[in-house]
Amino acid sequence: MSDAVEMEKQVAAQAAAELVESGMVVGLGTGTTVAHLLPALAKRRLVLRCVATSPRTEELAGRLGLDVVPFTFDHLDITIDGADQISPQGWLVKGGGAAHTREKLVAVTAERFVVIADSTKLVPVLRPPIPLELLDFGLESTFERLGAVRRRAVPRSPDGGVIADFMGEVGDPARLAARFEATPGVVEHGLFPPGMVTTIFVGRGDTVERIDRRAPRAGPGA
Ligand code: A5P
């Protein structure tokens, strides 16, 4: 990874870390951009409870002194995570690190879902691979019905799912997402719709572009 890309991840992560306030319950994503977020957050010495989307994030966050707790919440104040691709319409592709099932759950639970990315993640049109998590039971049948899917040579997810990638044409992401959701055996897919995202911070050199996509969801009791 070039120094320029690392710098963009760093500035995007820093901007997102500044949105976090003491007392919040924070969802932490997974990946190399989140790896910049965790120290930026730890450095602020806020009183937080954090939910991690992968054992890697849990381990790193714990080492930095962040309080990582089990995901027993029906509401998170904010979730911050990276993305593999961001389309002009705000669709995301996630799961390059195989954590997309947990990431989606933590994203939809949050009042604000904030995406942090370097500028290489902005793409004119979404393209394969689209990450999938599949049930092991009946795997050959699921492969057959999905077509154009290849198993990824990585360990299963922490929840026992098989990680694979859809390699066919994406076309309309809403249609493809609906197809995955209608396919028995698909635990989760890596297409995240625009309505899920509150804000995107994109690193541009040493500055940050902020793209606001939707208002924060109402909190509990609102
Ligand atoms: C993890 O499964 C992914 O969804 C990551 O959030 C995504 O791949 C972005 O990762 P990087 O920050 O490493 O590019």
Side-chain angles (χ1 to χ4, degrees):
M1 198 62 65
S2 78
D3 286 355
V5 169
E6 284 307 315
M7 161 71 84
E8 292 188 346
K9 291 181 188 205
Q10 161 77 48
V11 292
Q14 182 64 44
E18 283 162 21
L19 296 180
V20 178
E21 293 166 19
S22 250
M24 283 186 167
V25 187
V26 182
L28 301 174
T30 291
T32 55
T33 317
V34 167
H36 288 284
L37 170 75
L38 302 178
L41 214 46
K43 214 186 277 173
R44 296 196 56 210
R45 303 203 166 277
L46 304 171
V47 178
L48 304 173
R49 284 173 296 169
C50 300
V51 172
T53 50
S54 64
R56 273 167 289 161
T57 294
E58 180 168 357
E59 206 257 322
L60 182 53
R63 259 198 282 141
L64 290 164
L66 291 164
D67 184 17
V68 181
V69 297
F71 186 21
T72 53
F73 301 91
D74 61 5
H75 168 266
L76 301 172
D77 294 295
I78 188 168
T79 286
I80 306 172
D81 200 352
D84 301 316
Q85 301 180 52
I86 304 169
S87 82
Q89 294 74 30
W91 278 88
L92 310 180
V93 174
K94 290 187 48 54
H100 47 288
T101 299
R102 288 188 174 199
E103 289 175 334
K104 198 176 275 186
L105 260 166
V106 167
V108 297
T109 308
E111 206 167 308
R112 284 191 278 178
F113 176 40
V114 176
V115 176
I116 50 179
D118 61 81
S119 59
T120 68
K121 305 297 180 51
L122 299 174
V123 296
V125 57
L126 300 182
R127 50 181 191 263
I130 305 297
L132 297 170
E133 180 166 345
L134 307 174
L135 204 63
D136 190 29
F137 183 81
L139 191 59
E140 292 310 318
S141 157
T142 308
F143 278 152
E144 173 62 22
R145 280 172 293 111
L146 284 170
V149 169
R150 77 178 176 211
R151 189 172 181 159
R152 208 188 293 175
V154 295
R156 284 161 194 262
S157 80
D159 307 297
V162 171
I163 303 301
D165 291 295
F166 176 77
M167 302 305 295
E169 196 168 323
V170 175
D172 175 358
R175 274 184 71 168
L176 185 60
R179 187 179 154 224
F180 291 145
E181 285 154 23
T183 303
V186 175
V187 176
E188 196 49 84
H189 60 82
L191 287 167
F192 285 45
M196 214 179 260
V197 179
T198 318
T199 301
I200 305 172
F201 286 111
V202 183
R204 300 233 183 234
D206 60 359
T207 63
V208 190
E209 180 187 358
R210 176 178 175 147
I211 305 166
D212 284 310
R213 297 220 46 108
R214 70 158 170 85
R217 244 184 279 285

Coordinates of all heavy atoms in Angstrom, one line a residue, residues 85-91 119-127 171 173:
Q85 N -15.5 -0.8 -2.0 CA -16.0 0.0 -3.1 C -17.1 0.9 -2.7 O -17.9 0.5 -1.8 CB -16.5 -0.8 -4.3 CG -15.5 -1.9 -4.8 CD -16.2 -2.7 -5.9 OE1 -16.8 -2.2 -6.9 NE2 -16.1 -4.0 -5.8
I86 N -17.1 2.1 -3.2 CA -18.3 3.1 -2.9 C -18.7 3.6 -4.3 O -17.9 4.2 -5.0 CB -17.8 4.3 -2.1 CG1 -17.2 3.8 -0.8 CG2 -18.9 5.2 -1.8 CD1 -16.4 4.8 0.1
S87 N -20.0 3.4 -4.6 CA -20.5 3.8 -5.9 C -21.0 5.3 -5.8 O -21.2 5.8 -4.7 CB -21.6 2.9 -6.4 OG -22.8 3.3 -5.8
P88 N -21.1 6.0 -7.0 CA -21.6 7.3 -6.9 C -23.0 7.4 -6.3 O -23.4 8.5 -5.7 CB -21.7 7.7 -8.4 CG -20.8 6.8 -9.1 CD -20.8 5.5 -8.3
Q89 N -23.8 6.4 -6.3 CA -25.1 6.4 -5.7 C -25.1 6.1 -4.2 O -26.1 6.1 -3.5 CB -26.0 5.3 -6.4 CG -26.4 5.6 -7.8 CD -25.2 5.3 -8.8 OE1 -24.4 4.5 -8.5 NE2 -25.1 6.1 -9.8
G90 N -23.9 5.7 -3.7 CA -23.7 5.4 -2.3 C -23.8 4.0 -1.9 O -23.8 3.6 -0.7
W91 N -23.9 3.1 -2.9 CA -23.8 1.6 -2.5 C -22.4 1.3 -2.1 O -21.4 1.9 -2.7 CB -24.1 0.8 -3.8 CG -25.6 0.6 -4.0 CD1 -26.4 1.5 -4.8 CD2 -26.4 -0.4 -3.5 NE1 -27.7 1.0 -4.7 CE2 -27.7 -0.2 -4.0 CE3 -26.2 -1.6 -2.7 CZ2 -28.8 -1.0 -3.7 CZ3 -27.3 -2.4 -2.5 CH2 -28.6 -2.1 -2.9
S119 N -9.3 7.5 -1.3 CA -10.0 7.8 -2.5 C -10.0 6.7 -3.6 O -10.8 6.8 -4.5 CB -9.4 9.1 -3.1 OG -8.0 8.9 -3.4
T120 N -9.2 5.7 -3.4 CA -9.2 4.6 -4.4 C -10.5 3.8 -4.3 O -10.8 3.0 -5.2 CB -8.0 3.6 -4.3 OG1 -8.2 2.9 -3.0 CG2 -6.7 4.4 -4.3
K121 N -11.3 4.0 -3.2 CA -12.5 3.2 -3.0 C -13.7 3.7 -3.8 O -14.7 3.1 -3.9 CB -12.8 3.1 -1.5 CG -11.7 2.6 -0.7 CD -11.3 1.1 -1.0 CE -10.2 0.5 -0.2 NZ -10.3 0.6 1.2
L122 N -13.6 5.0 -4.2 CA -14.7 5.6 -5.0 C -14.6 5.0 -6.4 O -13.5 5.1 -7.1 CB -14.5 7.1 -5.1 CG -14.6 7.8 -3.7 CD1 -14.3 9.3 -3.9 CD2 -16.0 7.6 -3.1
V123 N -15.6 4.3 -6.9 CA -15.6 3.7 -8.2 C -16.8 4.2 -9.0 O -17.9 4.5 -8.5 CB -15.7 2.1 -8.1 CG1 -14.4 1.6 -7.4 CG2 -16.9 1.7 -7.4
P124 N -16.7 4.2 -10.3 CA -17.8 4.7 -11.2 C -18.9 3.7 -11.2 O -20.1 4.0 -11.2 CB -17.2 4.9 -12.6 CG -15.9 4.1 -12.5 CD -15.4 4.0 -11.1
V125 N -18.6 2.4 -11.1 CA -19.6 1.3 -11.1 C -19.1 0.1 -10.3 O -17.8 -0.1 -10.3 CB -19.9 1.0 -12.6 CG1 -18.7 0.6 -13.4 CG2 -21.0 -0.1 -12.7
L126 N -20.0 -0.5 -9.6 CA -19.5 -1.6 -8.7 C -19.1 -2.8 -9.6 O -19.8 -3.1 -10.6 CB -20.7 -2.1 -7.8 CG -21.2 -1.0 -6.8 CD1 -22.2 -1.6 -5.9 CD2 -20.0 -0.4 -6.0
R127 N -18.1 -3.5 -9.2 CA -17.7 -4.7 -9.9 C -17.4 -5.8 -9.0 O -17.2 -5.6 -7.8 CB -16.4 -4.3 -10.7 CG -15.4 -3.6 -9.9 CD -14.2 -3.2 -10.6 NE -13.2 -2.8 -9.6 CZ -13.0 -1.6 -9.1 NH1 -13.6 -0.6 -9.7 NH2 -12.1 -1.3 -8.2
G171 N -24.3 -5.4 -12.4 CA -25.5 -4.8 -12.9 C -26.2 -3.9 -11.9 O -25.5 -3.1 -11.2
P173 N -27.3 -3.1 -8.4 CA -27.0 -3.7 -7.1 C -28.2 -4.1 -6.3 O -28.2 -5.0 -5.6 CB -26.1 -2.6 -6.4 CG -26.1 -1.4 -7.3 CD -26.7 -1.7 -8.6

